Amino acid sequence: MFKHFAEDAQTRRRRLKLRLNARSIFTLVVLMLMLGLTQNLLNAEYSDPLPSHGAPSKIFLERKNHIQNVCEKYRREFFRPEHYALFRSGIKELPSLQHYFDWKGNRYLFLKAYKCGSNTLGGYFNELQQNTSFGAPLEHPAVCLDCRPSQAEKVLIMVRHPLERLLSAYRHLIEGEGWKFFLTNNELRSGAEEYLDTNNITWTNFVDHIVLNNGLNSGFNVDVMYRGLSRIIFEPILLTHWAPYWFTHPLCSEEYNPDIIIKMDTIARDFEELKKELDIPEESSLKRYITVGDKSKNLVHSSKISQEYYSMLSERQVMDLYVMYKLDHILFDYTPDLYLQYAASKPEEP
């Protein structure tokens, strides 16, 4: 009897356990469905993204950490020629290469790098600022002489591959004769203007004579270059279109170390990340601004025809360019490999 009772009790316990397990599973499934339904209702209610102002973007954090690691290396190597340009501080930064804009109670500093979409992004920030409630718009937002980097909530810069940027500068300023737009000052320009006006400067001539050997004007030094940028003098302004990023901005200094690095080659994704980080309306869009010279013909993006131009150069020429722009490659995590491949495809001369 006790045996049968034990078996019956065990049987009852097993059945009860099975019922409890089944009930637990059923309850869990119901809870999961309810949570899923609740989440769907929340998503439906907040179909627009929740404000994420100040929320750091992963890609921007990675780029900021990368450039800071590079800067830390150069900080200890003060004997390098690039050290002064990277870390210079306590001086008035070049106003023509700064663009301040105000948005939702904060001031931002956009470091302009010519031939990197600075007109496109600068124009966008101007348009954005007109819709802000942060007091009256700046009188000259692109050149704000009273603004200081210490006022900036964040520092932004937009870059592209250094060798693609160089090609873009050639196509705009030399091939398309866009250099004529910068004829605003007689100082220093007589020899350069004559040279540009009387010579048919091919891509290979531009690389060899002007870029690698400073053939445009070798008569002025770095101090003249910086003064020329602040005073809008012809040669310095022209050279800035292909001068290295590290030369035109003290990217490792505390005031100008960028918080947000936007890359032209990933502009669609980066622009979406920028809108989230600055709490810009989702429907806001970026309109491309194309700068051309009087004789510009082919308006296709330089990234699409890089092979056509770089296949005209030798591997030695591309390596020399890489050496000149090596620090730009390192700071913004680019490699010259593709351009060396283009050069390697150059037909052998007989």
Side-chain angles (χ1 to χ4, degrees):
M1 181 179 68
F2 291 105
K3 182 178 180 181
H4 289 299
F5 179 82
E7 289 177 351
D8 290 342
Q10 290 176 0
T11 301
R12 284 195 297 271
R13 282 197 297 270
R14 283 197 298 269
R15 290 174 179 172
L16 179 61
K17 186 175 182 180
L18 288 172
R19 285 198 297 270
L20 288 173
N21 287 341
R23 185 176 298 171
S24 298
I25 293 171
F26 176 78
T27 303
L28 181 62
V29 170
V30 170
L31 286 172
M32 290 175 66
L33 289 172
M34 290 178 66
L35 286 171
L37 179 60
T38 303
Q39 185 63 48
N40 288 335
L41 289 172
L42 286 172
N43 289 340
E45 184 177 356
Y46 297 103
S47 56
D48 292 329
L50 295 175
S52 56
H53 180 47
S57 160
K58 181 180 178 181
I59 188 65
F60 292 152
L61 274 178
E62 289 176 352
R63 291 172 183 171
K64 179 178 176 64
N65 290 337
H66 174 81
I67 196 172
Q68 286 181 334
N69 289 336
V70 175
C71 289
E72 194 57 35
K73 173 186 174 183
Y74 279 83
R75 189 186 309 277
R76 298 189 298 269
E77 300 181 1
F78 56 87
F79 51 84
R80 285 178 176 265
E82 303 94 337
H83 186 277
Y84 171 75
L86 286 171
F87 290 94
R88 68 185 188 272
S89 61
I91 62 171
K92 191 173 183 180
E93 176 65 342
L94 308 170
S96 61
L97 299 179
Q98 297 181 55
H99 183 128
Y100 288 91
F101 67 97
D102 302 323
W103 173 248
K104 291 195 173 181
N106 290 306
R107 177 158 290 173
Y108 297 91
L109 170 57
F110 172 47
L111 301 178
K112 296 170 64 177
Y114 293 147
K115 305 314 302 175
C116 293
S118 60
N119 287 319
T120 294
L121 208 53
Y124 173 78
F125 291 144
N126 279 343
E127 182 179 340
L128 191 68
Q129 181 165 263
Q130 301 307 313
N131 300 320
T132 183
S133 58
F134 183 72
L138 298 173
E139 183 179 357
H140 301 291
V143 182
C144 177
L145 299 179
D146 295 328
C147 296
R148 296 291 180 268
S150 59
Q151 302 169 345
E153 174 74 13
K154 292 182 184 293
V155 178
L156 303 82
I157 190 171
M158 183 167 172
V159 299
R160 70 197 295 186
H161 194 290
L163 300 186
E164 181 188 300
R165 173 179 176 242
L166 179 66
L167 174 58
S168 179
Y170 168 75
R171 295 178 63 216
H172 169 210
L173 299 170
I174 307 301
E175 191 176 68
E177 295 190 357
W179 61 268
K180 294 180 178 179
F181 176 78
F182 298 99
L183 295 176
T184 58
N185 194 301
N186 290 322
E187 188 176 354
L188 285 178
R189 98 177 190 211
S190 57
E193 181 184 358
E194 181 181 358
Y195 175 79
L196 292 169
D197 202 33
T198 58
N199 288 277
N200 178 26
I201 304 171
T202 65
W203 166 239
T204 54
N205 294 150
F206 174 72
V207 169
D208 277 336
H209 185 63
I210 295 181
V211 178
L212 295 176
N213 292 293
N214 194 22
L216 188 64
N217 193 325
S218 57
F220 59 87
N221 56 25
V222 172
D223 290 334
V224 174
M225 178 75 176
Y226 283 131
R227 288 202 307 272
L229 285 171
S230 62
R231 294 166 54 188
I232 320 296
I233 295 177
F234 178 62
E235 286 93 335
I237 288 293
L238 203 62
L239 290 173
T240 305
H241 285 74
W242 61 83
Y245 301 124
W246 60 263
F247 181 84
T248 53
H249 293 294
L251 295 169
C252 293
S253 68
E254 184 177 352
E255 301 96 329
Y256 297 101
N257 185 245
D259 302 290
I260 297 176
I261 299 170
I262 303 166
K263 292 189 174 183
M264 183 179 288
D265 35 304
T266 54
I267 183 59
R269 180 194 64 186
D270 290 2
F271 181 62
E272 294 303 314
E273 293 296 316
L274 178 67
K275 289 194 291 186
K276 294 177 184 176
E277 184 136 335
L278 301 191
D279 192 19
I280 297 172
E282 181 65 25
E283 64 273 14
S284 182
S285 60
L286 191 64
K287 301 172 184 175
R288 184 184 174 194
Y289 181 88
I290 303 175
T291 53
V292 297
D294 291 339
K295 293 192 176 181
S296 296
K297 297 178 180 178
N298 189 351
L299 300 184
V300 67
H301 198 272
S302 293
S303 62
K304 305 296 184 183
I305 54 175
S306 292
Q307 183 172 5
E308 176 185 340
Y309 283 82
Y310 275 92
S311 64
M312 301 178 191
L313 304 180
S314 66
E315 288 186 71
R316 179 70 265 167
Q317 288 170 309
V318 176
M319 277 304 301
D320 288 343
L321 289 174
Y322 170 65
V323 170
M324 174 172 284
Y325 296 99
K326 182 177 180 179
L327 186 51
D328 282 352
H329 283 75
I330 296 172
L331 285 167
F332 299 109
D333 200 19
Y334 287 111
T335 74
D337 297 349
L338 184 61
Y339 296 86
L340 286 168
Q341 291 177 19
Y342 292 158
S345 67
K346 178 182 178 180
E348 293 291 335
E349 295 182 0

